[in-house]
Amino acid sequence: VSRPLIVVVDDDVEGLDRVVEELRRRYAADYQIVADTSPERALETVRDACDRDAAVALVLAEQWLPSTTGIEFLGTVHMVTPEAKRGVLIEWGDAASTAPLLGGFSFGRFDSWIVKPIRRPAEEFHRSVGELLTEWVQAHGPTLDAIRIVGDRWSARSHEIRDLLSRNGVPFVFFDRDSRDGSDLLDRVGISNGPFPVMELWDGRVLRDPTTRAVAENLGLRTAPTAELYDVVIVGAGPAGLAAAVYAASEGLATAVLEPEAFGGQAGTSSLIRNYLGFPRGISGAELAGRAYQQALLFGAEFVYGNRASSLSRDGQEFRVHLPDENEIRGRSVVIATGVSYRRLGVPVLEALVGSGVFYGAASSEGAAMRDRRVFVVGGGNSAGQAARHLARHAAHVTLVVRRAGLSETMSDYLVQEITRDPRIDVRPRSEVVDGEGAGRLERLVIRDRSTGRLTTVEADALFVMIGAVPSTSWLPIEVARDDWGYLLSGSDAAHGDGDPSRIPRGLETSMPGVFVVGDVRHGSVKRVASSAGEGAAVIQQVHEYLRAHTSVASVEHR
Ligand SMILES: Cc1cc2nc3c(=O)[nH]c(=O)nc-3n(C[C@H](O)[C@H](O)[C@H](O)COP(=O)(O)OP(=O)(O)OC[C@H]3O[C@@H](n4cnc5c(N)ncnc54)[C@H](O)[C@@H]3O)c2cc1C
C-alpha cells in the first residue's frame, strides 16, 4: 500500500529545506513527502496522485509565492482534492500575512497556518502538523470497523444511528443492504429480512433495529442511575451541562447527568468552533465535548445516557426527574441545561457547507471576515435584522431573505427603519433559499420567489441562517416560570414565581427553589459555547448555597 502524500511548496529553497527536513525526520515512515519550489508543478503532483487514486493527506504552501499566494493555491488544491488538509506556511514574525490569513480562514480556504520551524526540536511546528494529520486520519485514514451496520442508506433510522455513533465518536462502517459487503454480513449473521438496520459489534453481538438506549447499553454506557439520591441532577449534556458536571463533581457533589442523544448538544454538531477561549485555530464541537465528557467522568460525574427527562416534581426536600420508562432520578437540586433546537434550512448542499460560508447564529463573530463580501441573511425576526445591520458594516452588500411580504409583522420597528435606511441592505420579500452551490465554500444560492415559484441563482459568499430556535422546556411543570417563548426565567426575573413575595431566587435559580437553569435555555442567555460553559461553572456555587441552606444532612456521600 503506497504511503499517503504530504506535498510542500515554497519557492524559497532554504525555507523549503527546513520544512522538508523536519517532515522527513518525523513522518517519512508513514507518509511520502514531496517538495517543490513551483506551485504549478506541486498542483500537477496533487492531480496526478488523485488520478492514481493515491491519498493526499496534507498540502503545505508558503503564503508568499511568486505567481500566487499560498491561500489561493490551497483553494485550488481543495477543488482537486477536498479531503486533503491544507496549511499555509509563514515565517515567524511575518505580520503582513495576518490580514489575508484571517479572511481566508473564515471562509474555509485552508485549515491552519503553520510557522516554519525555527529551532530544534521543532515541537510547535510538529504540533500543528500533527493536528492536521490526526484530523486527516480520523476522517480518511483506515477505518476502524468496531461496529458494522447494514441498512437502507436513505432510511431515517439508518441516518439516526449513523448520526448517533459519529456524534459520540464511535468508529463504524455502514453497508447498504444491497451491496456485496452488506449481503455478505447478513449471510454471516444469518439475517435476511431485517428489521434494519442490523448492527454487528466487534465481539460478534448482533442487534436488529436497536433503540438508542439498546445501542448505548451494548456499548457499555450507563442508561440507569446507580444511586438512590444525588446532590445535583443535571439535565442535558451540552456545553452548559458538561461544565456544570465538571464543577459539581470536582467539588465533591454526587452528580448525575441525563442526556438522551449525544454529549456536546448543539455544539457537538459544529464542525469548527472558532470563538471558544484558548483554541485560536478552532476546535470541533465533537472534540470539545469529548474532552469535557472525559473530564467530568474522571471527577466522578455519573452519566445516564439515552434518557430524556419527561417531567419534574418536588417531593419534600427532594426532586424527582422522571424518565419515559417510568424510571426516575432523585436529586436534592436540579440544573436544567436542555438548550434549544435551532431550526435548520434542511438543504443538504448548504448543510455540507456549514462553516465554509454557511453559518448558524454566528453573525457577530464572523462580521469582520465579511469585508467586501456578498452576504445573505435568512430570517425575518429581530436576530436576523440585527445580524444584517452588523454584517452590513463590513460586507459589500447584505440581502435579507424573508418568507413574508415584509418585515413589519416580525421585526421591531426601529430595526425595520434602520434596515430601510441602510443602502447596503436589500430586503428580498416572499422568498426562500432552496439550494446552493460551491466547491469547498459557498459560491451561489438558489432563491425561490414564493409568489411566482421562479428560481433565481445569485452569487453569494456567505449565508447566515437565523430562522429561530425552540427551547426544550415543554417537559417542565408550570411552577418553573418561563417567558412568552418558553425560555426559563432566573434570578430577579423569576422572583415571586413560587408565590413567596419575599424570595428572590439566586442569579441562575428558577422560580422553583433548588431548580437552576444554565445555557441557551435560559431567558436572556448569550447563546454561545463559552457563555454556556461559564454559566455551567458558575451555577455550582449557587447549588452549594442552596444545599447548605435547605438541607439538614451533609452532602450525599460521594461514591
Ligand atoms: C451548527 C451550530 C454551530 C454553532 N457554532 C457556534 C460557534 O462557533 N461558537 C459558539 O459560541 N456557539 C456556536 N453555536 C451555539 C452553541 O452551540 C450553543 O450556544 C451551545 O451549544 C449551547 O449550549 P447548551 O449546553 O446551553 O445547550 P445545547 O448545546 O443545546 O445542549 C442541550 C442538551 O440538552 C439535551 N436535552 C434536551 N432536552 C432534554 C431533556 N428533556 N432531557 C435530557 N436532555 C435534554 C440535548 O440533547 C442537548 O444535548 C452553534 C450552534 C449550532 C447549531
Side-chain angles (χ1 to χ4, degrees):
V1 178
S2 65
R3 287 164 293 159
L5 257 65
I6 298 178
V7 178
V8 192
V9 58
D10 188 347
D11 65 311
D12 170 42
V13 176
E14 186 276 327
L16 182 67
D17 285 349
R18 254 188 297 144
V19 171
V20 169
E21 193 187 340
E22 281 300 334
L23 292 174
R24 291 214 167 112
R25 287 160 65 95
R26 296 277 173 111
Y27 305 106
D30 295 319
Y31 299 89
Q32 190 186 337
I33 294 149
V34 183
D36 213 309
T37 50
S38 145
E40 291 77 18
R41 279 197 307 268
L43 195 60
E44 270 317 299
T45 305
V46 171
R47 282 213 174 92
D48 177 56
C50 294
D51 291 345
R52 289 184 288 113
D53 273 342
V56 181
L58 175 63
V59 182
L60 299 176
E62 156 65 38
Q63 166 63 355
W64 305 116
L65 294 165
S67 51
T68 180
T69 63
I71 296 175
E72 288 302 320
F73 171 76
L74 292 174
T76 314
V77 166
H78 190 59
M79 287 186 219
V80 179
T81 169
E83 290 86 21
K85 289 283 158 189
R86 293 155 297 149
V88 180
L89 291 168
I90 53 169
E91 286 292 354
W92 192 89
D94 172 11
S97 291
T98 309
L101 287 177
L102 294 181
F105 192 58
S106 288
F107 282 93
R109 308 299 303 270
F110 59 91
D111 299 297
S112 185
W113 61 87
I114 299 178
V115 178
K116 289 183 205 170
I118 43 169
R119 63 175 169 203
R120 189 162 284 158
E123 298 306 339
E124 297 92 340
F125 171 80
H126 287 296
R127 184 172 57 197
S128 306
V129 172
E131 279 175 3
L132 291 179
L133 290 175
T134 306
E135 285 166 19
W136 183 81
V137 168
Q138 281 170 350
H140 308 290
T143 41
L144 277 177
D145 46 2
I147 299 181
R148 295 151 185 266
I149 309 170
V150 182
D152 293 310
R153 181 159 294 278
W154 303 112
S155 89
R157 188 59 191 152
S158 288
H159 167 73
E160 276 165 20
I161 295 265
R162 289 196 302 265
D163 186 51
L164 183 75
L165 295 178
S166 44
R167 284 176 66 192
N168 283 295
V170 182
F172 67 92
V173 281
F174 183 89
F175 302 123
D176 212 300
R177 57 189 281 205
D178 297 330
S179 69
R180 178 70 181 271
D181 287 328
S183 46
D184 284 354
L185 190 149
L186 293 176
D187 285 349
R188 197 174 63 247
V189 300
I191 296 176
S192 52
N193 293 324
F196 293 101
V198 169
M199 293 174 72
E200 184 191 32
L201 306 194
W202 59 94
D203 56 1
R205 275 173 292 162
V206 175
L207 314 177
R208 296 174 182 216
D209 190 17
T211 61
T212 299
R213 276 189 71 161
V215 174
E217 278 160 9
N218 277 281
L219 293 178
L221 291 175
R222 189 167 281 153
T223 57
T226 58
E228 287 285 306
L229 179 65
Y230 296 85
D231 290 323
V232 57
V233 175
I234 298 166
V235 187
L242 286 169
V246 166
Y247 283 83
S250 69
E251 291 173 21
L253 296 180
T255 305
V257 189
L258 269 183
E259 173 55 51
E261 290 173 12
F263 305 124
Q266 297 165 63
T269 67
S270 173
S271 56
L272 195 67
I273 297 166
R274 288 194 48 214
N275 56 353
Y276 191 70
L277 190 71
F279 294 89
R281 199 170 73 72
I283 180 167
S284 84
E287 166 123 35
L288 187 66
R291 290 177 184 212
Y293 166 68
Q294 282 182 25
Q295 206 172 1
L297 209 58
L298 290 173
F299 278 126
E302 183 174 306
F303 285 85
V304 183
Y305 186 75
N307 290 284
R308 186 175 291 281
S310 55
S311 62
L312 169 72
S313 58
R314 179 190 273 286
D315 182 5
Q317 296 277 40
E318 292 174 20
F319 296 95
R320 291 169 190 264
V321 179
H322 303 274
L323 309 179
D325 60 1
E326 296 182 12
N327 216 331
E328 64 181 22
I329 300 191
R330 288 165 50 216
R332 299 199 303 157
S333 65
V334 175
V335 173
I336 297 166
T338 46
V340 300
S341 315
Y342 273 97
R343 294 199 184 97
R344 311 285 292 210
L345 271 185
V347 176
V349 177
L350 297 175
E351 293 298 323
L353 292 172
V354 169
S356 299
V358 177
F359 305 96
Y360 280 89
S364 51
S365 57
E366 299 296 338
M370 296 300 134
R371 185 170 306 285
D372 303 330
R373 307 284 179 173
R374 292 153 303 186
V375 173
F376 287 74
V377 177
V378 185
N382 277 356
S383 55
Q386 280 158 4
R389 287 276 296 142
H390 172 71
L391 293 164
R393 280 188 224 140
H394 308 275
H397 194 263
V398 175
T399 306
L400 195 56
V401 182
V402 290
R403 291 164 64 93
R404 296 180 186 232
L407 298 173
S408 55
E409 286 174 54
T410 48
M411 201 179 282
S412 299
D413 189 51
Y414 82 94
L415 263 179
V416 178
Q417 299 303 328
E418 285 177 5
I419 285 171
T420 314
R421 282 198 300 269
D422 192 330
R424 288 157 306 169
I425 306 179
D426 269 347
V427 180
R428 206 167 172 140
R430 295 192 195 86
S431 299
E432 58 193 351
V433 173
V434 292
D435 208 349
E437 293 169 11
R441 54 170 290 203
L442 180 67
E443 290 170 22
R444 279 170 293 281
L445 289 171
V446 181
I447 298 180
R448 192 171 82 91
D449 185 315
R450 286 163 58 82
S451 315
T452 62
R454 203 162 72 92
L455 298 178
T456 313
T457 301
V458 293
E459 303 285 315
D461 298 305
L463 173 72
F464 290 82
V465 185
M466 323 282 290
I467 51 178
V470 187
S472 312
T473 52
S474 54
W475 58 281
L476 286 162
I478 48 166
E479 292 94 307
V480 184
R482 51 204 95 181
D483 67 15
D484 292 347
W485 292 271
Y487 290 90
L488 301 187
L489 301 176
S490 57
S492 55
D493 289 339
H496 320 315
D498 59 344
D500 176 356
S502 64
R503 188 181 94 91
I504 303 284
R506 294 167 182 83
L508 296 168
E509 196 175 18
T510 67
S511 55
M512 192 183 242
V515 176
F516 297 81
V517 57
V518 287
D520 279 13
V521 70
R522 192 175 67 78
H523 166 84
S525 64
V526 179
K527 308 211 170 27
R528 291 283 179 279
V529 177
S531 50
S532 300
E535 288 184 12
V539 75
I540 296 307
Q541 189 193 358
Q542 296 173 26
V543 169
H544 278 302
E545 282 170 19
Y546 168 83
L547 290 176
R548 272 198 300 273
H550 286 83
T551 45
S552 44
V553 280
S555 165
V556 174
E557 194 186 331
H558 201 214
R559 293 168 315 281

